[in-house]
Amino acid sequence: MGKEDVLLLDFWVSPFCQRVKIALAEKGVAYETQEEKNLLGGKSDLLLKSNPIYQKVPVLLFKGKPIVESTNIVYFIEENWPSPPLLPSCSYERSRARFWADFIDKRIFEDGGKIWRSKGDETEDAKKEFIDTLKKLEGALGEKDYFGGENFGLVDIIAIPMTPWFLAYEKYGNFKVEEEAPKFSAWIKRCMVRETVAKTLPNPEKVLDFVAMLRKMHG
Ligand code: GSH
Protein backbone atom coordinates (compact mmCIF):
# COMPACT_ATOMS: atom_id res chain seq x y z
CA MET A 1 0.00 0.00 0.00
CA GLY A 2 1.41 3.36 -1.05
CA LYS A 3 0.96 6.91 0.08
CA GLU A 4 -1.44 7.48 -2.83
CA ASP A 5 -3.85 4.90 -1.35
CA VAL A 6 -4.65 7.22 1.56
CA LEU A 7 -5.89 10.67 0.57
CA LEU A 8 -7.32 13.23 2.99
CA LEU A 9 -9.61 15.99 1.75
CA ASP A 10 -8.40 18.71 4.04
CA PHE A 11 -8.95 22.30 5.19
CA TRP A 12 -6.12 23.94 7.15
CA VAL A 13 -8.13 25.34 10.07
CA SER A 14 -10.53 22.41 10.49
CA PRO A 15 -10.06 20.68 13.87
CA PHE A 16 -11.94 17.71 12.41
CA CYS A 17 -9.30 17.27 9.68
CA GLN A 18 -6.53 17.62 12.27
CA ARG A 19 -7.94 14.67 14.22
CA VAL A 20 -7.39 12.49 11.16
CA LYS A 21 -3.87 13.83 10.59
CA ILE A 22 -2.82 13.21 14.20
CA ALA A 23 -4.28 9.69 14.15
CA LEU A 24 -2.46 8.85 10.88
CA ALA A 25 0.78 10.32 12.26
CA GLU A 26 0.43 8.29 15.47
CA LYS A 27 0.09 5.14 13.36
CA GLY A 28 2.97 6.10 11.08
CA VAL A 29 0.76 5.95 7.98
CA ALA A 30 1.97 7.85 4.90
CA TYR A 31 -0.79 9.78 3.15
CA GLU A 32 -1.52 12.59 0.74
CA THR A 33 -3.72 15.61 1.30
CA GLN A 34 -5.86 17.68 -1.02
CA GLU A 35 -6.75 21.11 0.37
CA GLU A 36 -10.29 22.39 -0.17
CA LYS A 37 -9.10 25.86 -1.14
CA ASN A 38 -12.50 27.46 -1.19
CA LEU A 39 -14.50 25.44 1.35
CA LEU A 40 -16.75 28.34 2.28
CA GLY A 41 -17.32 29.47 -1.29
CA GLY A 42 -17.39 26.40 -3.52
CA LYS A 43 -16.50 22.79 -2.87
CA SER A 44 -14.49 20.47 -5.09
CA ASP A 45 -16.30 17.89 -7.18
CA LEU A 46 -14.34 15.21 -5.37
CA LEU A 47 -15.67 16.43 -1.98
CA LEU A 48 -19.26 16.62 -3.25
CA LYS A 49 -18.99 13.16 -4.77
CA SER A 50 -17.27 11.61 -1.74
CA ASN A 51 -19.50 13.12 0.96
CA PRO A 52 -22.81 13.85 -0.76
CA ILE A 53 -24.78 13.72 2.51
CA TYR A 54 -22.90 16.32 4.58
CA GLN A 55 -20.55 17.84 1.97
CA LYS A 56 -17.96 18.47 4.69
CA VAL A 57 -14.29 17.77 5.27
CA PRO A 58 -12.59 15.63 6.38
CA VAL A 59 -13.05 12.81 3.92
CA LEU A 60 -10.52 10.01 3.94
CA LEU A 61 -10.27 8.22 0.62
CA PHE A 62 -8.86 4.80 1.33
CA LYS A 63 -7.92 3.05 -1.92
CA GLY A 64 -10.42 5.44 -3.53
CA LYS A 65 -13.27 4.58 -1.13
CA PRO A 66 -14.58 7.50 0.95
CA ILE A 67 -14.89 7.45 4.73
CA VAL A 68 -16.60 10.48 6.30
CA GLU A 69 -17.11 12.10 9.73
CA SER A 70 -13.89 12.64 11.64
CA THR A 71 -14.55 10.44 14.68
CA ASN A 72 -15.73 7.66 12.41
CA ILE A 73 -12.53 8.07 10.38
CA VAL A 74 -10.38 7.86 13.52
CA TYR A 75 -12.16 4.60 14.49
CA PHE A 76 -11.46 3.29 10.96
CA ILE A 77 -7.78 4.21 11.32
CA GLU A 78 -7.65 2.41 14.68
CA GLU A 79 -9.19 -0.74 13.17
CA ASN A 80 -7.22 -0.72 9.93
CA TRP A 81 -3.82 0.02 11.50
CA PRO A 82 -4.13 -1.50 14.99
CA SER A 83 -0.56 -0.74 16.05
CA PRO A 84 0.17 1.19 18.20
CA PRO A 85 -3.32 1.04 19.76
CA LEU A 86 -5.17 4.28 20.48
CA LEU A 87 -7.91 2.57 22.49
CA PRO A 88 -7.50 0.55 25.71
CA SER A 89 -7.62 -3.25 25.50
CA CYS A 90 -10.40 -3.57 28.11
CA SER A 91 -13.86 -3.37 26.49
CA TYR A 92 -15.31 -1.38 29.42
CA GLU A 93 -12.55 1.24 29.10
CA ARG A 94 -13.09 1.29 25.33
CA SER A 95 -16.76 2.04 25.81
CA ARG A 96 -15.84 4.89 28.19
CA ALA A 97 -13.46 6.30 25.58
CA ARG A 98 -16.23 6.19 22.96
CA PHE A 99 -18.58 7.94 25.38
CA TRP A 100 -16.15 10.82 25.97
CA ALA A 101 -15.28 11.08 22.28
CA ASP A 102 -19.00 11.48 21.59
CA PHE A 103 -19.39 14.04 24.41
CA ILE A 104 -16.52 16.12 22.98
CA ASP A 105 -18.05 15.84 19.51
CA LYS A 106 -21.37 17.16 20.75
CA ARG A 107 -20.10 19.91 23.04
CA ILE A 108 -16.76 21.70 22.60
CA PHE A 109 -16.95 23.12 19.06
CA GLU A 110 -20.66 23.78 19.40
CA ASP A 111 -20.36 25.55 22.78
CA GLY A 112 -17.26 27.48 21.69
CA GLY A 113 -18.96 28.61 18.47
CA LYS A 114 -21.85 30.06 20.46
CA ILE A 115 -19.34 32.33 22.26
CA TRP A 116 -18.00 34.07 19.16
CA ARG A 117 -21.32 34.13 17.29
CA SER A 118 -23.31 35.80 20.09
CA LYS A 119 -23.54 39.13 21.88
CA GLY A 120 -24.29 40.34 25.46
CA ASP A 121 -26.19 37.97 27.75
CA GLU A 122 -26.11 35.24 25.14
CA THR A 123 -22.31 35.32 25.18
CA GLU A 124 -22.33 35.05 28.98
CA ASP A 125 -24.62 32.00 28.81
CA ALA A 126 -22.49 30.44 26.08
CA LYS A 127 -19.35 31.03 28.13
CA LYS A 128 -20.91 29.35 31.20
CA GLU A 129 -21.89 26.35 29.09
CA PHE A 130 -18.41 26.11 27.58
CA ILE A 131 -16.71 26.29 30.99
CA ASP A 132 -19.14 23.66 32.32
CA THR A 133 -18.09 21.38 29.45
CA LEU A 134 -14.40 21.89 30.29
CA LYS A 135 -15.08 21.11 33.96
CA LYS A 136 -16.87 17.89 33.02
CA LEU A 137 -13.84 16.97 30.92
CA GLU A 138 -11.54 17.75 33.85
CA GLY A 139 -13.65 15.28 35.85
CA ALA A 140 -13.06 12.64 33.18
CA LEU A 141 -9.34 13.38 33.16
CA GLY A 142 -9.07 13.11 36.97
CA GLU A 143 -5.42 12.78 38.01
CA LYS A 144 -4.45 11.02 34.78
CA ASP A 145 -1.98 12.47 32.26
CA TYR A 146 -4.25 11.66 29.32
CA PHE A 147 -7.92 10.70 29.01
CA GLY A 148 -7.03 7.03 28.63
CA GLY A 149 -4.41 6.99 31.41
CA GLU A 150 -0.64 7.13 30.93
CA ASN A 151 -0.71 7.04 27.15
CA PHE A 152 -1.88 9.59 24.60
CA GLY A 153 -4.90 8.00 22.92
CA LEU A 154 -8.13 8.33 21.00
CA VAL A 155 -9.99 10.74 23.29
CA ASP A 156 -6.95 13.04 23.34
CA ILE A 157 -6.91 12.98 19.53
CA ILE A 158 -10.60 13.89 19.39
CA ALA A 159 -10.20 16.79 21.85
CA ILE A 160 -6.82 18.42 21.27
CA PRO A 161 -7.51 19.93 17.80
CA MET A 162 -10.33 21.95 19.37
CA THR A 163 -7.88 23.87 21.55
CA PRO A 164 -6.20 26.27 19.06
CA TRP A 165 -9.69 27.84 18.86
CA PHE A 166 -9.66 28.63 22.58
CA LEU A 167 -7.79 31.93 22.08
CA ALA A 168 -10.75 33.18 20.03
CA TYR A 169 -13.24 31.97 22.65
CA GLU A 170 -11.21 33.71 25.35
CA LYS A 171 -11.09 36.95 23.38
CA TYR A 172 -14.80 37.09 22.50
CA GLY A 173 -15.93 35.61 25.84
CA ASN A 174 -13.50 37.61 27.96
CA PHE A 175 -12.19 34.78 30.13
CA LYS A 176 -9.10 32.60 30.50
CA VAL A 177 -9.29 28.83 30.12
CA GLU A 178 -6.24 28.45 32.36
CA GLU A 179 -8.06 30.19 35.24
CA GLU A 180 -11.36 28.36 34.75
CA ALA A 181 -9.99 24.90 34.02
CA PRO A 182 -6.33 24.62 35.13
CA LYS A 183 -6.18 20.83 34.86
CA PHE A 184 -7.54 20.92 31.33
CA SER A 185 -4.97 23.61 30.52
CA ALA A 186 -2.16 21.44 31.87
CA TRP A 187 -3.43 18.57 29.68
CA ILE A 188 -3.29 20.85 26.60
CA LYS A 189 0.36 21.72 27.37
CA ARG A 190 1.18 18.03 27.86
CA CYS A 191 -0.33 17.14 24.47
CA MET A 192 1.33 20.06 22.71
CA VAL A 193 4.84 18.71 23.35
CA ARG A 194 3.96 15.62 21.36
CA GLU A 195 5.38 15.85 17.84
CA THR A 196 2.30 14.45 16.07
CA VAL A 197 0.22 17.18 17.71
CA ALA A 198 2.67 20.10 17.55
CA LYS A 199 3.35 19.64 13.83
CA THR A 200 -0.36 19.35 12.98
CA LEU A 201 -2.14 22.10 14.90
CA PRO A 202 -2.35 25.68 13.55
CA ASN A 203 -1.17 28.79 15.35
CA PRO A 204 -4.05 30.04 17.59
CA GLU A 205 -3.42 33.61 16.34
CA LYS A 206 -4.19 32.46 12.79
CA VAL A 207 -7.35 30.73 14.03
CA LEU A 208 -8.31 33.99 15.76
CA ASP A 209 -7.93 35.87 12.43
CA PHE A 210 -10.09 33.21 10.78
CA VAL A 211 -12.78 33.53 13.48
CA ALA A 212 -12.70 37.34 13.11
CA MET A 213 -13.34 36.85 9.38
CA LEU A 214 -16.22 34.43 10.11
CA ARG A 215 -17.74 36.95 12.53
CA LYS A 216 -17.72 39.57 9.80
CA MET A 217 -19.35 37.10 7.39
CA HIS A 218 -22.05 36.30 9.97
CA GLY A 219 -22.60 40.04 10.44
N1 GSH B 1 -19.09 16.26 12.23
C1 GSH B 1 -18.14 16.55 11.19
C2 GSH B 1 -16.87 15.73 11.42
O1 GSH B 1 -16.60 15.37 12.57
O2 GSH B 1 -16.16 15.41 10.46
C3 GSH B 1 -17.85 18.04 11.16
C4 GSH B 1 -16.99 18.43 9.98
C5 GSH B 1 -17.07 19.92 9.68
O3 GSH B 1 -17.81 20.68 10.31
N2 GSH B 1 -16.31 20.35 8.67
C6 GSH B 1 -16.33 21.73 8.26
C7 GSH B 1 -16.85 21.81 6.83
O4 GSH B 1 -16.52 21.01 6.00
C8 GSH B 1 -14.95 22.34 8.30
S1 GSH B 1 -14.43 22.57 9.97
N3 GSH B 1 -17.66 22.85 6.56
C9 GSH B 1 -18.21 23.10 5.28
C10 GSH B 1 -19.69 23.28 5.34
O5 GSH B 1 -20.26 23.21 6.43
O6 GSH B 1 -20.28 23.50 4.30
Side-chain angles (χ1 to χ4, degrees), residues 11 13-17 19-20 36 39-41 43 47 51 54-59 68-73 105 109 162 165 210:
F11 184 57
V13 80
S14 168
F16 306 102
C17 295
R19 288 172 170 174
V20 176
E36 280 295 313
L39 186 67
L40 306 176
K43 294 166 184 171
L47 174 57
N51 189 358
Y54 293 127
Q55 307 186 347
K56 290 185 180 198
V57 291
V59 173
V68 303
E69 286 294 297
S70 60
T71 305
N72 183 42
I73 299 172
D105 253 352
F109 204 63
M162 303 291 147
W165 290 65
F210 184 75

Side-chain angles (χ1 to χ4, degrees), residues 10-18 35-41 57 109 113 116-117 161-162 164-169 171-172 202-219:
D10 195 15
F11 184 57
W12 70 275
V13 80
S14 168
F16 306 102
C17 295
Q18 290 147 20
E35 179 80 4
E36 280 295 313
K37 292 195 185 71
N38 190 17
L39 186 67
L40 306 176
V57 291
F109 204 63
W116 64 259
R117 277 195 211 99
M162 303 291 147
W165 290 65
F166 286 11
L167 181 66
Y169 306 158
K171 180 179 162 170
Y172 295 114
N203 180 338
E205 295 286 346
K206 284 197 170 165
V207 179
L208 177 61
D209 291 345
F210 184 75
V211 171
M213 190 266 291
L214 289 179
R215 268 168 62 96
K216 275 194 197 133
M217 274 172 56
H218 284 258

Side-chain angles (χ1 to χ4, degrees), residues 46-177:
L46 185 55
L47 174 57
L48 296 175
K49 195 175 86 183
S50 316
N51 189 358
I53 306 290
Y54 293 127
Q55 307 186 347
K56 290 185 180 198
V57 291
V59 173
L60 189 72
L61 287 142
F62 179 66
K63 299 185 178 166
K65 288 186 284 188
I67 304 151
V68 303
E69 286 294 297
S70 60
T71 305
N72 183 42
I73 299 172
V74 173
Y75 288 132
F76 171 81
I77 292 170
E78 172 70 352
E79 280 179 26
N80 204 48
W81 294 280
S83 179
L86 299 171
L87 280 167
S89 55
C90 156
S91 54
Y92 177 72
E93 291 303 329
R94 276 206 305 275
S95 85
R96 280 183 63 80
R98 281 193 291 264
F99 170 83
W100 285 111
D102 181 60
F103 176 81
I104 291 160
D105 253 352
K106 288 179 174 138
R107 298 291 293 268
I108 299 195
F109 204 63
E110 188 71 19
D111 292 352
K114 283 186 202 155
I115 298 177
W116 64 259
R117 277 195 211 99
S118 60
K119 290 203 175 77
D121 285 351
E122 247 179 76
T123 310
E124 283 309 300
D125 290 347
K127 181 166 92 179
K128 277 197 200 106
E129 232 175 289
F130 179 76
I131 292 167
D132 176 68
T133 293
L134 293 189
K135 292 210 183 296
K136 288 194 167 83
L137 287 170
E138 283 194 321
L141 201 51
E143 297 308 315
K144 303 188 295 286
D145 280 351
Y146 300 105
F147 281 94
E150 288 171 10
N151 298 319
F152 180 82
L154 185 130
V155 180
D156 306 294
I157 292 176
I158 298 301
I160 194 65
M162 303 291 147
T163 64
W165 290 65
F166 286 11
L167 181 66
Y169 306 158
E170 289 180 331
K171 180 179 162 170
Y172 295 114
N174 193 25
F175 71 107
K176 287 268 174 250
V177 169

Side-chain angles (χ1 to χ4, degrees), residues 173-193:
N174 193 25
F175 71 107
K176 287 268 174 250
V177 169
E178 187 145 27
E179 285 164 17
E180 303 292 343
K183 277 190 185 170
F184 193 84
S185 248
W187 166 84
I188 297 175
K189 291 195 183 102
R190 214 171 290 132
C191 293
M192 286 307 295
V193 294

